[in-house]
């Protein structure tokens, strides 16, 4: 058993104890427990016949590993999907006293694919009557068969109050499909979305449809997340979103531009929790990219999740933006090391610290200012973040950040994010773990998540600017490890 101190092991992000993990699945809260199921291959550290791994948490911060929830069977391997709490026992799989958790997932029949067929993905369900500890497959599977659609997967289900029915979204190659049901077993196709809108550089995956209130208004909007691979702004896998309306039958987007949840290279297949207390919309993504995800230089395990993020929606100049912010309670994991009310950048600010790879760095700056941040170790491995108002571009450069040669596309480019360089004071928040960086700027309006593999911890930080400025409220905080050792 690992002690979670192996080289590159995330210290405050979820990762499996051993072996391969990709997408988060079945995110659901029930009876005091946040469940995290995930795409899991227990035999190797590369992708293989998929199972659903399982972990639980009371706070979304520290996790307990559980045994595998769903194993492949004669209908196929278990691809991505979701879990709902069937409170009224509409499915009849439990009882009113013991409402079942129902998992809705994709069966992927490898023999079918290998035989050159195209109808090898179908949707199945399974249920649990002991809050996720043990699962039984429904004996009438599949609940949605395949007619002739090659990529037909990743069902996300929720209860739609307004129309009093279960709604299921799934993807079918270049678009999303919506279905309805009264009992989670019989599904009727309602509508399609997306053939002509959004990014189409690759296949659509992992849809998620939910409602959000627009901050500081009484307006409500529907948001549809769609992962796409390849075709993301900085290469490979990424997640776009649409804002619009859903009437119980049809989703209509209200914009033509393409919007991304996160412009970094390593936040994919993210979905949100069902059934959370206070209706919070909490998102977790797989912190990797199919371009190189199977080749990253970890040894006994591979894969980690992003920090759980609360999503919110704002409207600025008639445009909607989805904001991602680390859940508030994560602040309890922080201890302050250095705090400076103001740092003058007439000359570069230099800070030494033994290990930046388990810290949060935070400060305020005007969006119209230029800034250059560099984390470095004694081996001259470094990671650069820059904000350039002239180019209207932020950038993250991991080309020399540590081990990068395991796959060309990991570090062939500086990764960029376009922004509006207005005269506005904003916060910059950086969460650095042993093998990742998460950047949140302007209250989570601009987000970049990326993996890094420094062979020693970064131990110096330099902040410089060509403008005559000072940064405000600078903080360096350490982050507690989430693993019991
Ligand atoms: C996304 C994905 C899903 C699929 C799963 C298979 O990363 O390709 O579409 O269900 O991974 O592991």
């Amino acid at each position: 058993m690992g002690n979670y101190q192996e080289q590159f092991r995330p210290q405050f992000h979820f990762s499996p104890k051993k072996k391969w993990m990709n997408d988060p699945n079945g995110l659901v809260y029930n009876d005091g427990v946040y469940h995290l199921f995930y795409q899991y291959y227990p035999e190797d550290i590369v992708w293989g016949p998929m199972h659903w791994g399982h972990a639980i948490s009371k706070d979304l911060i520290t996790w307990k590993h559980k045994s595998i929830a769903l194993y492949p069977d004669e209908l196929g391997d278990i691809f991505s999907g979701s879990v709902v709490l069937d409170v009224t026992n509409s499915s009849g799989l439990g009882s009113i006293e013991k409402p079942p958790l129902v998992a809705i997932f994709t069966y992927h029949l490898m023999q079918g694919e290998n035989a050159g067929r195209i109808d090898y993905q179908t949707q199945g369900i399974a249920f649990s009557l002991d809050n996720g500890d043990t699962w039984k497959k429904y004996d009438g599977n599949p609940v949605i068969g395949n007619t002739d659609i090659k990529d037909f997967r990743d069902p996300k289900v929720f209860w739609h109050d307004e129309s009093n029915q279960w709604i299921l979204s799934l993807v079918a190659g270049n678009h999303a499909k919506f279905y309805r049901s009264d009992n989670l077993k019989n599904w009727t196709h309602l509508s399609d979305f997306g053939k002509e809108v959004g990014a189409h550089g690759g296949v659509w995956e992992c849809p998620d449809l939910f409602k959000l209130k627009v901050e500081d208004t009484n307006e409500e909007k529907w948001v549809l997340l769609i992962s796409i691979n390849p075709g993301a702004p900085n290469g490979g896998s990424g997640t776009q979103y649409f804002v619009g309306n859903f009437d119980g039958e049809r989703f209509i987007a209200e914009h033509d531009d393409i919007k991304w949840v996160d412009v970094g290279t390593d936040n994919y297949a993210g979905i949100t929790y069902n059934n959370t207390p206070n209706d919070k919309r909490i998102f977790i993504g797989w912190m990797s990219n199919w371009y190189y995800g199977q080749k990253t230089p970890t040894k006994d395990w591979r894969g980690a999740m992003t920090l759980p993020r609360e999503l919110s929606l704002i409207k600025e100049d008639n445009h909607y933006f989805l904001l991602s912010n680390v859940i508030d309670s994560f602040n309890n994991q922080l201890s302050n090391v250095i705090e400076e009310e103001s740092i003058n950048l007439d000359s570069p600010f230099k800070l030494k610290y033994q290990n930046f790879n388990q810290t949060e760095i935070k400060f305020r700056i005007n969006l119209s200012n230029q800034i250059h941040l560099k984390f470095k170790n004694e081996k001259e491995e470094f990671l650069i973040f820059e904000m350039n108002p002239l180019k209207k571009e932020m950038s993250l450069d991991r080309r020399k950040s540590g081990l990068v040669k395991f796959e060309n596309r990991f570090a062939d480019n500086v990764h960029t994010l376009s922004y509006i360089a207005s005269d506005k004071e904003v916060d910059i928040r950086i969460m650095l773990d042993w093998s990742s960086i998460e950047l949140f700027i302007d209250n989570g309006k601009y987000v970049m998540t990326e993996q890094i593999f420094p062979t020693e911890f970064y131990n110096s930080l330099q902040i410089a600017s060509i403008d005559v400025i000072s940064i405000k409220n600078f903080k360096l905080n350490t982050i507690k490890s989430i693993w019991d050792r």
Side-chain angles (χ1 to χ4, degrees):
M1 250 199 266
N3 59 359
Y4 302 100
Q5 286 179 314
E6 307 98 313
Q7 192 182 27
F8 305 129
R9 175 70 87 171
Q11 296 299 299
F12 57 93
H13 289 85
F14 179 80
S15 59
K17 204 181 274 179
K18 282 188 172 173
K19 307 301 178 188
W20 169 264
M21 175 180 81
N22 55 292
D23 314 0
N25 296 150
L27 303 185
V28 68
Y29 175 85
N30 183 38
D31 209 5
V33 176
Y34 290 93
H35 293 274
L36 166 60
F37 300 91
Y38 51 87
Q39 289 287 280
Y40 188 53
Y41 182 43
E43 305 292 330
D44 204 343
I45 58 166
V46 291
W47 189 86
M50 283 289 117
H51 300 52
W52 273 26
H54 186 201
I56 56 170
S57 173
K58 290 199 152 59
D59 54 10
L60 289 166
I61 293 169
T62 54
W63 296 92
K64 188 169 163 219
H65 292 290
K66 302 281 283 182
S67 44
I68 290 175
L70 297 174
Y71 286 81
D73 61 42
E74 66 287 353
L75 293 177
D77 302 332
I78 316 294
F79 272 23
S80 287
S82 50
V83 170
V84 292
L85 174 68
D86 182 13
V87 194
T88 62
N89 190 36
S90 68
S91 61
L93 295 169
S95 58
I96 290 279
E97 300 73 47
K98 244 192 198 180
L101 283 177
V102 179
I104 308 94
F105 53 84
T106 297
Y107 270 122
H108 179 97
L109 191 63
M110 210 47 106
Q111 298 95 296
E113 181 178 15
N114 293 342
R117 276 166 39 193
I118 57 171
D119 59 354
Y120 51 83
Q121 293 186 336
T122 57
Q123 322 309 321
I125 65 177
F127 60 101
S128 168
L129 301 177
D130 53 8
N131 201 7
D133 282 351
T134 57
W135 290 83
K136 245 198 169 122
K137 308 251 180 54
Y138 169 55
D139 54 19
N141 278 337
V143 293
I144 302 182
N146 192 319
T147 39
D148 58 352
I149 305 175
K150 185 161 171 280
D151 294 295
F152 186 62
R153 58 177 178 265
D154 306 341
K156 172 82 199 251
V157 176
F158 68 96
W159 177 256
H160 187 244
D161 249 341
E162 297 84 337
S163 62
N164 215 25
Q165 58 187 343
W166 296 105
I167 295 290
L168 179 153
S169 335
L170 54 69
V171 284
N174 64 353
H175 66 280
K177 286 187 177 296
F178 300 105
Y179 294 76
R180 71 163 303 280
S181 176
D182 293 318
N183 58 13
L184 297 165
K185 293 170 172 169
N186 304 320
W187 293 94
T188 311
H189 177 230
L190 291 172
S191 62
D192 291 352
F193 168 80
K195 277 181 204 144
E196 274 102 40
V197 288
H200 281 281
V203 72
W204 281 24
E205 299 187 315
C206 302
D208 191 0
L209 176 67
F210 50 85
K211 193 166 65 177
L212 278 181
K213 200 162 106 44
V214 182
E215 297 286 295
D216 304 320
T217 73
N218 288 322
E219 194 186 12
E220 289 185 325
K221 284 281 143 196
W222 286 84
V223 175
L224 176 67
L225 306 183
I226 296 283
S227 284
I228 169 172
N229 178 57
N234 283 300
S237 322
T239 303
Q240 56 178 326
Y241 69 94
F242 300 89
V243 182
N245 286 312
F246 178 71
D247 61 2
E249 193 178 335
R250 205 167 283 282
F251 175 79
I252 296 173
E254 284 187 4
H255 55 96
D256 299 319
D257 57 325
I258 296 171
K259 298 171 179 287
W260 299 96
V261 173
D262 186 323
V263 182
T265 47
D266 296 287
N267 179 357
Y268 193 59
I271 50 168
T272 63
Y273 269 89
N274 279 330
N275 201 37
T276 50
N278 312 322
D279 263 347
K280 282 190 188 291
R281 200 36 73 178
I282 296 168
F283 168 99
I284 293 181
W286 172 45
M287 205 156 45
S288 198
N289 189 312
W290 285 115
Y291 264 5
Y292 45 75
Q294 301 191 71
K295 295 189 182 164
T296 55
T298 55
K299 292 219 168 63
D300 298 322
W301 92 97
R302 199 177 265 142
M305 296 301 178
T306 65
L307 283 178
R309 300 165 182 190
E310 185 171 348
L311 303 182
S312 52
L313 197 61
I314 57 164
K315 192 176 187 180
E316 277 180 3
D317 307 326
N318 255 340
H319 290 283
Y320 295 101
F321 293 94
L322 188 68
L323 310 186
S324 305
N325 279 296
V326 179
I327 53 167
D328 288 344
S329 53
F330 194 78
N331 288 333
N332 301 333
Q333 301 296 102
L334 308 174
S335 315
N336 186 250
V337 184
I338 291 167
E339 186 165 0
E340 300 278 350
E341 218 169 283
S342 172
I343 296 173
N344 187 310
L345 295 184
D346 285 352
S347 59
F349 168 68
K350 292 182 181 163
L351 184 62
K352 283 265 175 200
Y353 183 66
Q354 74 252 16
N355 175 14
F356 279 104
N357 292 89
Q358 201 177 325
T359 63
E360 176 198 52
I361 294 95
K362 231 173 144 171
F363 54 88
R364 291 188 69 76
I365 187 174
N366 195 295
L367 263 188
S368 63
N369 287 130
Q370 188 270 352
I371 191 129
H372 180 100
L373 259 86
K374 184 175 183 179
F375 294 95
K376 191 162 73 70
N377 63 19
E378 298 297 320
K379 289 197 171 161
E380 296 298 316
E381 295 168 341
F382 57 84
L383 175 67
I384 295 174
F385 168 67
E386 203 171 270
M387 207 163 92
N388 187 331
L390 290 177
K391 286 197 193 158
K392 299 194 178 96
E393 207 171 81
M394 303 188 195
S395 63
L396 196 57
D397 182 355
R398 66 175 175 189
R399 290 175 303 169
K400 299 248 157 58
S401 57
L403 299 185
V404 298
K405 297 212 167 109
F406 49 88
E407 154 63 45
N408 283 341
R409 291 176 294 191
F410 181 76
D412 51 354
N413 276 311
V414 176
H415 300 144
T416 58
L417 182 167
S418 308
Y419 72 107
I420 303 159
S422 62
D423 179 24
K424 179 183 182 196
E425 197 175 76
V426 300
D427 48 283
I428 294 205
R429 186 177 192 195
I430 299 172
M431 322 287 288
L432 256 189
D433 203 334
W434 196 336
S435 50
S436 64
I437 176 167
E438 284 162 294
L439 266 159
F440 302 91
I441 293 151
D442 193 5
N443 196 29
K445 182 172 170 189
Y446 305 110
V447 185
M448 287 181 103
T449 303
E450 302 219 345
Q451 292 186 88
I452 46 168
F453 299 96
T455 59
E456 268 179 13
F457 296 134
Y458 298 134
N459 64 353
S460 81
L461 166 64
Q462 176 170 312
I463 308 181
S465 177
I466 50 171
D467 300 335
V468 186
I469 55 160
S470 46
I471 53 175
K472 313 252 172 63
N473 303 108
F474 176 88
K475 276 190 185 165
L476 170 66
N477 294 321
T478 55
I479 303 174
K480 224 190 275 169
S481 168
I482 62 170
W483 305 113
D484 264 347
R485 286 197 284 261

